[in-house]
């Protein structure tokens, strides 16, 4: 081997050994892992420090307003069912919660029911001794009071009564309606299919000739509107139906503007020259007897 190359190799080796070298160490991930563990522990401790969900406070946490009104709706339904079964004696708030199986409500909700919710509810009536009872639409207890109410509505021209209001107000409603089947007329309202009760006044019944009944049933007016019916009646010479039915709104006539001649007012400018007479025939001005061309 060439001795010159050997000398250069040996010199390079000595130089390399003489220069210090810095070794790059790998990063220790243990410290990073400790930090992440600390963070996870702190977050878990903060979560655990919050309110725990258990059987004692889950009803008073988030959504307590919906729970309150749920308790109130259950009480109103129970009081209505009691009234329809014939139980009309008032109850205290503890008795109501006992009958509705809601004795586990908190003191705040109980206080809210007793002081605000039940006294202001339109379906609940508060007695003088602080008890509560259902408040129906009509004060009727039996079939006689129902028949009396229907007669009063008929005499005063108040119309009929909703069947659902009678079912809510009258205990054992179906039994009473069955006994009064001959005294009541049922009409179904076409808009919402609700049944309305009317008193069957038999004194107002009239005997109608069979020929008129046949003509009435044979005449079909389902496909005719009010304008066509009115036109047909006018052709037949019948004018008694003109005052019936919905009236058309009368549009008020607009008053015409009065066409008065406008009077042009004389200008009030140059009033200080009122004593000066100006003539355009001969282009002269006359002032205090002096004429100027």
């Amino acid at each position: 081997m060439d001795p010159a190359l050997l000398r250069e190799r040996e010199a390079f080796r000595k130089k390399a050994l003489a220069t210090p070298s810095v070794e790059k160490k790998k990063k220790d991930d243990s410290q990073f892992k400790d930090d992440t563990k600390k963070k996870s522990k702190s977050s878990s401790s903060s979560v655990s420090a919050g309110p725990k969900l258990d059987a004692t406070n889950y009803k008073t946490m988030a959504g307590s307003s919906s729970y309150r009104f749920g308790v109130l709706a259950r009480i109103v339904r129970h009081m209505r069912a009691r009234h329809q079964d014939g139980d009309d004696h008032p109850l205290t708030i503890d008795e109501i919660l006992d009958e509705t199986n809601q004795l586990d409500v908190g003191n705040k909700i109980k206080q809210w029911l007793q002081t605000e919710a039940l006294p202001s509810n339109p379906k609940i009536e508060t007695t003088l001794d602080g008890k509560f009872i259902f408040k129906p639409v009509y004060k009727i207890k039996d079939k006689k009071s129902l028949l009396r109410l229907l007669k009063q509505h008929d005499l005063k021209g108040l119309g009929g009564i909703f069947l659902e209001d009678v079912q809510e107000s009258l205990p054992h409603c179906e039994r009473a309606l069955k006994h009064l089947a001959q005294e009541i007329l049922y009409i179904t309202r076409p808009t919402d299919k609700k049944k309305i009760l009317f008193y069957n006044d038999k004194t107002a019944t009239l005997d109608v000739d069979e020929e008129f009944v046949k003509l009435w049933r044979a005449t079909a007016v389902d496909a005719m509107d009010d304008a066509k019916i009115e036109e047909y009646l006018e052709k037949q010479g019948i004018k008694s139906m003109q005052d019936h039915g919905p009236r058309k709104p009368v549009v008020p006539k607009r008053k015409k503007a009065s066409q008065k001649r406008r009077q042009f007012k004389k200008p009030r400018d140059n009033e200080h020259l009122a004593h000066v007479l100006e003539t355009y025939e001969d282009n002269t001005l006359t002032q205090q007897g002096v004429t100027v061309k």
Side-chain angles (χ1 to χ4, degrees):
M1 191 174 181
D2 191 358
L5 294 174
L6 290 173
R7 286 194 298 269
E8 289 181 2
R9 177 177 175 275
E10 190 66 21
F12 176 77
R13 183 169 173 273
K14 289 180 180 180
K15 186 177 180 181
L17 291 175
T19 57
S21 63
V22 179
E23 183 180 1
K24 292 184 179 180
K25 295 183 179 181
K26 294 183 179 180
K27 292 183 178 179
D28 190 5
D29 297 337
S30 60
Q31 185 177 0
F32 179 72
K33 291 180 180 178
D34 293 338
D35 294 338
T36 53
K37 287 181 180 179
K38 288 180 182 179
K39 289 181 181 180
S40 61
K41 287 182 180 179
S42 61
S43 61
S44 62
S45 62
S46 62
V47 171
S48 61
K52 295 182 179 180
L53 183 65
D54 54 1
T56 57
N57 64 350
Y58 79 97
K59 290 184 178 180
T60 57
M61 289 175 61
S64 61
S65 60
S66 60
Y67 172 71
R68 284 184 177 185
F69 289 105
V71 172
L72 177 61
R74 189 172 178 180
I75 290 174
V76 173
R77 287 195 299 268
H78 176 71
M79 298 296 283
R80 183 190 292 112
R82 286 184 68 256
H83 177 78
Q84 292 173 351
D85 292 338
D87 298 334
D88 55 352
H89 60 278
L91 299 175
T92 61
I93 185 65
D94 294 326
E95 293 173 346
I96 293 173
L97 294 175
D98 187 14
E99 291 187 2
T100 55
N101 298 325
Q102 299 184 109
L103 290 174
D104 55 344
V105 298
N107 293 327
K108 291 184 179 180
I109 298 178
K110 184 178 178 181
Q111 185 71 17
W112 173 73
L113 290 170
Q114 189 172 6
T115 58
E116 297 181 18
L118 293 178
S120 61
N121 193 284
K123 294 294 182 181
I124 302 297
E125 184 177 359
T126 308
T127 58
L128 297 176
D129 53 353
K131 296 182 179 181
F132 303 100
I133 192 172
F134 183 71
K135 184 179 181 181
V137 182
Y138 300 106
K139 297 289 184 179
I140 49 179
K141 296 182 179 181
D142 50 10
K143 60 181 181 180
K144 292 182 180 180
S145 58
L146 173 60
L147 187 61
R148 194 182 306 115
L149 178 64
L150 290 173
K151 286 182 179 180
Q152 290 178 359
H153 273 246
D154 182 63
L155 291 174
K156 296 179 181 179
L158 300 177
I161 300 173
F162 284 108
L163 177 60
E164 57 184 14
D165 292 341
V166 175
Q167 291 174 347
E168 183 181 288
S169 304
L170 180 61
H172 309 291
C173 177
E174 300 299 331
R175 189 188 308 169
L177 294 176
K178 188 176 181 180
H179 285 288
L180 298 175
Q182 301 297 327
E183 305 291 337
I184 298 175
L185 293 176
Y186 294 90
I187 304 296
T188 303
R189 196 163 64 175
T191 55
D192 50 6
K193 305 300 180 182
K194 289 185 178 181
K195 289 187 177 181
I196 305 175
L197 276 63
F198 291 89
Y199 173 64
N200 187 10
D201 190 2
K202 297 180 181 179
T203 59
T205 56
L206 298 175
D207 294 332
V208 183
D209 193 4
E210 293 183 0
E211 294 183 0
F212 182 77
V213 175
K214 290 180 181 179
L215 290 173
W216 178 267
R217 292 177 178 175
T219 305
V221 293
D222 295 337
M224 300 177 65
D225 54 359
D226 294 340
K228 291 182 180 179
I229 294 174
E230 186 176 357
E231 183 180 356
Y232 174 78
L233 293 175
E234 287 181 358
K235 289 180 180 179
Q236 299 298 325
I238 301 173
K239 297 183 179 180
S240 60
M241 299 298 292
Q242 291 181 354
D243 296 335
H244 298 276
R247 297 183 178 180
K248 297 180 180 179
V250 180
V251 181
K253 296 181 179 180
R254 294 184 178 180
K255 296 181 179 180
K256 294 183 179 180
S258 58
Q259 297 179 355
K260 293 183 179 180
R261 294 183 178 179
R262 295 183 179 179
Q263 296 179 357
F264 296 97
K265 296 181 179 180
K266 297 179 180 179
R268 296 182 179 179
D269 299 336
N270 301 330
E271 292 182 354
H272 60 285
L273 299 177
H275 56 282
V276 177
L277 299 177
E278 183 178 359
T279 59
Y280 295 98
E281 289 81 3
D282 52 356
N283 295 329
T284 59
L285 290 176
T286 304
Q287 181 179 7
Q288 295 181 356
V290 180
T291 301
V292 181
K293 290 286 185 178

